[in-house]
Amino acid sequence: MREILPALARWYADRVPFGLATVVSVSRSAPREPGAAMAVGGDDEVVGSVSGGCVEGAVFELAQEVMASGEARLATFGYSDEDAFAVGLTCGGEITLLVRPVTAETDPVFGAVAASVAGGEPVTAATVVDGPAPRGAALAVWPDTEAGTLGTAGLDVAVTADARGELALGASVLRHYGPHGERREDAVTVFLQSFAPPPRMLVFGAIDYAAAVARIGDFLGYRVTVCDARPVFATPKRFPAGVEVVVDWPHRYLSGTETDDRTVICVLTHDPKFDVPLLEEALRRPAAYIGAMGSRRTHDERRARLAEAGLTEAELARLRSPLGLDLGARTPEEVAVSVAAEIVALRWGGSGTPLAKTAGAIHHPVAP
């Protein structure tokens, strides 16, 4: 959804009605995660994808139908081995979509949600999927306020509390309630889609490898910052547009920068006077990934220096060094692919093994 929101925001601002299809649940080897979206606007313009091409034709027709009727619909697509021409997923999974018309009248909070996402402000969009509440009704929840309604005050209160909890986790999930927000009931199904600000990637060392890592980090959706103490190297013209470039001592910059469990830290300084104090700071703070470039000899020497600085074995175990997966990479761009592959594998519990040599589901289950 995040990727297509700029287009949807323009349609909404121009009062162009559109049909919005959102993946609200998946099972088995589904191609997209909950929150993936496709929209059909004026002149049959299409943005986004819900399955990578398997069912988009049928979803296009559904979107047109809900725009014509003004009523939201729920649709499930799976795999049919009985009819080779049936609309379904060739991967064998199943997805459930909420397809709803969006206008200023049907969803008065959509514009505010889109503006918050564009501005990096955290927000959760709650939408009724099924039950006695109005299907497609929307409630927007920010950390300190909310807008819209799902139909009853009790339901709004219960969903608002859960939405703030999911927002803190950056999660998008289905939740079930009674008609007035009663817990442990399942009359009403609500999809909570959280838009937390993009995770950060902090790249230290403004070398050629850093430019490639920053480029692929930006492509993966991270908000990328490159930091180096040497102003001759830390210049914006050496890095992709949109990448923040900071001139500062790495450890000093990191000590004043907030990180969380989604933050990626790539240490490419390759110089003990920079990377040892930097890693000493990094390994004692929240982060999803902390990797450092260097040879195995450099790694051993660096690890010894960090141990002398007082880091524990548990803290040192968080360090991925030399960073990246074994792809045989040589160029900066190939090394960046190697680093990105390790980050993705760590995020989703992948092994890094060729899929041709594994069995079972291709997509690892997402932790609740």
Side-chain angles (χ1 to χ4, degrees):
M1 174 74 86
R2 187 187 295 272
E3 290 76 12
I4 68 174
L5 266 177
L8 304 189
R10 288 194 300 273
W11 293 349
Y12 190 84
D14 293 340
R15 304 190 73 82
V16 175
F18 57 91
L20 177 61
T22 305
V23 178
V24 296
S25 69
V26 302
S27 66
R28 299 191 298 278
S29 187
R32 302 296 304 275
E33 296 294 333
M38 168 181 159
V40 178
D43 297 325
D44 293 338
E45 183 179 356
V46 177
V47 294
S49 169
V50 293
S51 75
C54 298
V55 302
E56 269 68 9
V59 174
F60 175 82
E61 294 179 1
L62 275 173
Q64 290 181 314
E65 291 173 10
V66 302
M67 283 193 290
S69 68
E71 297 181 358
R73 292 176 58 180
L74 203 60
T76 298
F77 296 93
Y79 175 74
S80 173
D81 55 7
E82 298 176 357
D83 182 355
F85 295 98
V87 175
L89 303 178
T90 58
C91 61
E94 183 177 276
I95 60 173
T96 298
L97 307 175
L98 174 65
V99 189
R100 62 189 180 101
V102 178
T103 65
E105 291 71 34
T106 62
D107 189 346
V109 299
F110 186 89
V113 170
S116 290
V117 175
E121 181 183 10
V123 60
T124 295
T127 312
V128 174
V129 171
D130 205 5
R135 179 176 287 163
L139 173 71
V141 180
W142 292 268
D144 55 0
T145 189
E146 59 279 335
T149 181
L150 302 181
T152 68
L155 183 58
D156 290 346
V157 169
V159 171
T160 295
D162 288 348
R164 290 197 172 115
E166 301 302 339
L167 185 57
L169 299 173
S172 295
V173 297
L174 286 176
R175 288 284 180 261
H176 304 277
Y177 307 88
H180 299 281
E182 297 89 343
R183 303 289 182 175
R184 296 185 297 278
E185 294 189 26
D186 59 1
V188 180
T189 302
V190 179
F191 181 57
L192 304 178
Q193 186 169 11
S194 297
F195 295 96
R200 298 200 64 181
M201 173 182 280
L202 306 177
V203 181
F204 294 96
I207 59 177
D208 288 345
Y209 291 94
V213 170
R215 188 175 300 111
I216 204 166
D218 180 66
F219 175 77
L220 290 175
Y222 288 91
R223 180 162 69 93
V224 182
T225 298
V226 176
C227 175
D228 197 302
R230 301 162 295 184
V232 67
F233 295 116
T235 61
K237 66 181 180 181
R238 299 184 66 236
F239 297 94
V243 171
E244 180 187 28
V245 180
V246 174
V247 179
D248 200 351
W249 279 80
H251 72 282
R252 184 169 60 192
Y253 174 77
L254 183 59
S255 67
T257 300
E258 184 178 352
T259 63
D260 59 26
D261 291 336
R262 302 184 302 154
T263 304
V264 166
I265 299 173
C266 298
V267 178
L268 312 180
T269 46
H270 207 233
D271 185 333
K273 71 174 177 291
F274 291 124
D275 55 21
V276 170
L278 171 59
L279 287 170
E280 185 178 351
E281 174 69 31
L283 293 169
R284 287 173 169 159
R285 59 168 50 234
Y289 174 91
I290 304 171
M293 176 177 281
S295 66
R296 300 196 187 281
R297 177 178 176 180
T298 297
H299 167 73
D300 292 340
E301 293 176 349
R302 184 165 50 207
R303 197 178 191 282
R305 289 171 181 260
L306 290 169
E308 290 175 3
L311 272 76
T312 66
E313 284 300 317
E315 291 168 335
L316 291 171
R318 300 178 62 204
L319 176 61
R320 293 184 171 262
S321 172
L323 82 177
L325 297 186
D326 180 15
L327 305 183
R330 293 289 188 274
T331 67
E333 290 74 19
E334 291 174 343
V335 169
V337 171
S338 166
V339 173
E342 184 176 38
I343 291 169
V344 172
L346 182 63
R347 178 182 180 184
W348 297 113
S351 66
T353 303
L355 288 172
K357 296 185 179 297
T358 65
I362 292 175
H363 302 285
H364 290 244
V366 180

